[in-house]
Amino acid sequence: MLTSSAAGVFVICPTPFHDDGRLDLGSTDRMVEAFLAAGATGLTILGIMGEAPKLAADEAQSFAKQVISAVAGRVPVIVGVSAAGFAAMSALSRKVMDAGAAGVMIAPPAHLRTDDQIVSYYADAAEAVGRDTPFVIQDYPLVTNVVMTPHVIGRIIEQNSSCVMLKHEDWPGLDKITALRRASDSGQLRRVSILCGNGGLFLPFEMERGADGAMTGYAYPEMLVGVVNLMRQGKRREAHDLFDRHLPLVRYETQPGVGLSVRKYVLQRRGIIASAALRKPAPKLTPETIADIEWLMERIERPHEGA
Amino acid sequence: MLTSSAAGVFVICPTPFHDDGRLDLGSTDRMVEAFLAAGATGLTILGIMGEAPKLAADEAQSFAKQVISAVAGRVPVIVGVSAAGFAAMSALSRKVMDAGAAGVMIAPPAHLRTDDQIVSYYADAAEAVGRDTPFVIQDYPLVTNVVMTPHVIGRIIEQNSSCVMLKHEDWPGLDKITALRRASDSGQLRRVSILCGNGGLFLPFEMERGADGAMTGYAYPEMLVGVVNLMRQGKRREAHDLFDRHLPLVRYETQPGVGLSVRKYVLQRRGIIASAALRKPAPKLTPETIADIEWLMERIERPHEGA
Amino acid sequence: MLTSSAAGVFVICPTPFHDDGRLDLGSTDRMVEAFLAAGATGLTILGIMGEAPKLAADEAQSFAKQVISAVAGRVPVIVGVSAAGFAAMSALSRKVMDAGAAGVMIAPPAHLRTDDQIVSYYADAAEAVGRDTPFVIQDYPLVTNVVMTPHVIGRIIEQNSSCVMLKHEDWPGLDKITALRRASDSGQLRRVSILCGNGGLFLPFEMERGADGAMTGYAYPEMLVGVVNLMRQGKRREAHDLFDRHLPLVRYETQPGVGLSVRKYVLQRRGIIASAALRKPAPKLTPETIADIEWLMERIERPHEGA
Amino acid sequence: MLTSSAAGVFVICPTPFHDDGRLDLGSTDRMVEAFLAAGATGLTILGIMGEAPKLAADEAQSFAKQVISAVAGRVPVIVGVSAAGFAAMSALSRKVMDAGAAGVMIAPPAHLRTDDQIVSYYADAAEAVGRDTPFVIQDYPLVTNVVMTPHVIGRIIEQNSSCVMLKHEDWPGLDKITALRRASDSGQLRRVSILCGNGGLFLPFEMERGADGAMTGYAYPEMLVGVVNLMRQGKRREAHDLFDRHLPLVRYETQPGVGLSVRKYVLQRRGIIASAALRKPAPKLTPETIADIEWLMERIERPHEGA
């Protein structure tokens, strides 16, 4: 089961499809092995970048079972269960926890506005997924349009003992990590794991602010692992050097909408998944964009002075 | 099967629950009979007011089958299949059409902005529900945040022969009806049925602009039927008199969020459903609000000069 | 100066223009007299319905001075000073207060989300308009997209002694009035005036919940005055009868965008302003819409049993 | 006057304030010289990053006159005139054009949704600023929430001969540049200048797609100038090398809200402006954030192999 001491890199997995849009379970197994080989300390599936809303209920369950079975207990698997209603959230949560998931992740629905609405939503959601199911708060205002102060996050943590992690992807968000860590260091707030998302765009700085690692996707997850490990070893300059080498592609992947197409293209080029296909609706990569990506890959993979 | 000549009043059905939140299929049957007795020419289920997002996938199918079976072919049943992705939309659509639904209704997702995005979305959706499944465009910007011009609606109608109806609930929207009817009267646009929603708030005026009736919920659906029939008979003053008598409650029911609680309360008081319960998250009726509703019911039901 | 004991009907004034868009100061004087004759206990100018954002800075000041001078101290005049920045808010506020305004009204900007952001915004705004300038909180989520809980409103009231009034137009909002009045009745919260907006759509109910009156526009403001007075006299049935007679037009005026055009049309027809013109961008009334309005006016003005 | 052949780097100028919030006209002159020395081919003032909404009308005019006077005709100056209404837009535009501005920039208001609404808005705006005033379309959906297709931009260009430039900051937006350039190269669309914003985050790629340069702010504008020049000379690798060296800080500056504070901090540290102060509301830089910035500056300014 997921605990509040989780750390390292939980790779956000895309959902592999065949060119015709069917689930590609073969690529799923290969992807799991590749991410574990890259040093992932956990996997997260059916998130926003996992095209979760494009799956039918039974497909989501099949995919989750395949991943959990491929992982075979080597690392924890977190399943995104965000849904428009609690009945669907509860049903999916129960099924994946029975299948061996370590916990679930919940993003707030876009209509929430006030502090109390947000706190109240998470109380209901915690009940819906089961009080004994560890859950992750996904704090991603750019996509959800819901803004949570550190104080609100603290209220959710205090009210729900099953809340064990914050997936932090507010933007800007560095001072929020500092505020939350100050609160837990001073004993005002129970300490939960903080893993950072947002494509890893600020990862070295986030580690310095007190994050425990990353939970995000990137086509070269070994870089995320490397940066987290170097920062933990106090090798700040080496961490930034490694990170900055990848930043041009990280930046290219953070483009909303097209970013996932870019990531799947690179994963396919690296032999990790068989097809870069997304389900509709999805942007198509133009020849010009593919040329950009190839250029960025070549620059990342070129031999360099420090290598 | 639903056709573009549908007219009259398609009552938007709430989904009856027991006090503990389970589906109440007994009340479902009673509600169907009550609405047909009130003069409904069709029923629409699993819409926004049907708490559709709060149902798990299998619950939605059970409820749809119960309604279709209770109706037993007396009137067409339209099922809301709006979903975050096409796989879920396709799965639900296939199941309810197999069970005997007459057509499906599709609201656009909130992220659509440009004209082309909207048109393209409906092309994909029409394919997802099946090219032979009649569908209804739900045009409800107050809730969906998607604004469709008459021109965009025309493009959707022209590109998709299975589009047979517009559920019109833009606000303001009277001139939109006029524009669409002008286009179909002049032969520029295929004529589809236009049924009006938005709680019926502008129903007599909408009929004059060329609407074919209403598709909305209201705790006294016989009023909607009466207004539509009187307007068709050219009895304008009588139609407005009838409508205006109910307008105070119609207005009270149009309050976002709490409106459905009000409607279910009245339906329970009238003996049509057993419990006024909504699934979470839902506002609770305060004693003050209940007093308001009782006052409004009493004024509607009081004997009056014209009676 | 405006105080927290303000009550009655503060009529929201439209800004009269000539057909060519220039300010019509002659109509301004006539409008002021008409609204005072109708029983207004105050006037509010340069609000959302006053097309304030369409005026240049010097025009806004000219119009405010004209109204204040025409009123000549008979009732308090509140000026909307909502602005994108505090410098503009401060400049306008200083000028109109110097000219004799009784207070200012401030709506929150659309980007505010969290409770703390809202409270902090009003602290800065109160400073910008001057700590000795009485101000009104405008709580209108349908337009501002900012949602304030009773608790947040209470924090603003407690932190700013110059806050004397809430313009309440949340929707639904009846229970919010009850909550605020419960807080002030029990001594937990300083009592401020609550005047209700939203076109008066719920006015009789709002009075019962503890509102002190209305601050809204309507083409027959004497109805608002009548309803407020009847409710205060405990004549509930008569108040509702009067209100319900006007509700069809009130409802028609609440249509976003076109509503102000409707109101100005009726005011012109009643001889109160010379031109119904709005500044661009503005919807044009179609012949069909004008026919609707004429029908509604005729029904309101027809002799009736109670007259 | 600004023409459709404008190219190079138009630096978006912040508005310098003293620590107490007053306009700092001395720093203004120094900043102008620094940006021109860095190779700016134009300056843009009173944009979103210029805190324009925080200035009173007379302050905006004073600042514009100071910049125009300091530039003394050496390069064109574009003034942001976006406003909530056309009267204010017209007034500011007239004043700055009289003072010697080369053109104005107009962002669409957030409520625009449909293609026709956007096109119609720009027709009215073009009239408001004067048909002989060259104007720039600001296409920045992340901030404005208005999405313009290439087709809509084309309609605006075709309908308004005074439209000479697109400030492109859609995200993702590379394929949009390609589409617009394809349209102008094939003669379907009048060619206008395209300068890219968005902090320069994609500048080398944007140049390859056919942009004429950048219009954005960055604390080291000489980098933007260098990248644009290298790309024009066909030195792709050198351009990317230069850009990538700065990308860590560019990325840090693109954080919404806090980004401008970061930029002003660096400009102050470089001796270009006297105070890093922003007007309220503004985020404060924490010691941790300042440490981040210092680290990033040190890495940019360190001697390197290619230097």
Side-chain angles (χ1 to χ4, degrees), chain B residues 171-172 174-175 182 201-202 205 209 236 240-241 244 251-252 254-256 286 288-289 292 295 299, chain C residues 171-172 174-175 182 201-202 205 209 236 240-241 244 251-252 254-256 286 288-289 292 295 299:
Chain B
W171 181 50
L174 294 168
D175 289 335
R182 205 162 277 162
L201 201 57
F202 294 90
F205 293 114
R209 299 298 182 102
R236 190 186 193 199
H240 278 274
D241 286 346
D244 288 355
R251 171 264 333 241
Y252 207 90
T254 58
Q255 296 178 85
T286 60
E288 291 83 0
T289 298
D292 291 348
W295 168 266
R299 284 171 68 87
Chain C
W171 182 52
L174 294 168
D175 289 335
R182 204 162 280 164
L201 200 58
F202 295 89
F205 293 114
R209 299 299 183 103
R236 189 186 194 199
H240 278 274
D241 286 346
D244 289 355
R251 172 264 333 244
Y252 206 91
T254 58
Q255 296 178 86
T286 59
E288 291 83 1
T289 297
D292 291 348
W295 168 266
R299 284 170 67 87

Side-chain angles (χ1 to χ4, degrees), chain A residues 126-266:
Chain A
E127 189 188 311
V129 300
R131 287 287 174 195
D132 51 349
T133 300
F135 78 88
V136 181
I137 303 170
Q138 184 170 17
D139 180 19
Y140 196 10
L142 182 68
V143 165
T144 62
N145 202 22
V146 175
V147 183
M148 308 188 203
T149 61
H151 182 65
V152 161
I153 294 169
R155 287 171 63 190
I156 297 170
I157 292 171
E158 291 306 324
Q159 287 185 17
N160 303 282
S161 60
S162 52
C163 175
V164 296
M165 187 186 285
L166 173 69
K167 181 178 200 294
H168 167 273
E169 35 197 345
D170 201 350
W171 181 50
L174 293 169
D175 289 335
K176 187 183 256 187
I177 301 175
T178 298
L180 288 167
R181 279 302 172 238
R182 205 162 278 164
S184 58
D185 289 351
S186 68
Q188 294 174 290
L189 182 64
R190 181 165 61 85
R191 192 188 196 282
V192 298
S193 173
I194 299 180
L195 299 186
C196 297
N198 212 354
L201 201 57
F202 295 90
L203 185 55
F205 292 115
E206 290 163 335
M207 292 300 294
E208 289 181 310
R209 298 299 182 103
D212 298 300
M215 186 196 290
T216 195
Y218 176 52
Y220 295 83
E222 58 271 31
M223 180 276 282
L224 303 171
V225 173
V227 168
V228 167
N229 289 341
L230 287 167
M231 288 301 295
R232 281 168 164 178
Q233 296 160 20
K235 298 184 175 169
R236 191 186 192 197
R237 187 167 304 273
E238 291 85 344
H240 278 274
D241 285 346
L242 172 58
F243 180 81
D244 287 356
R245 185 174 181 89
H246 283 264
L247 180 53
L249 180 58
V250 169
R251 172 263 334 241
Y252 207 92
E253 275 196 12
T254 58
Q255 295 179 86
V258 80
L260 179 60
S261 300
V262 173
R263 188 176 298 161
K264 281 192 156 183
Y265 177 86
V266 180

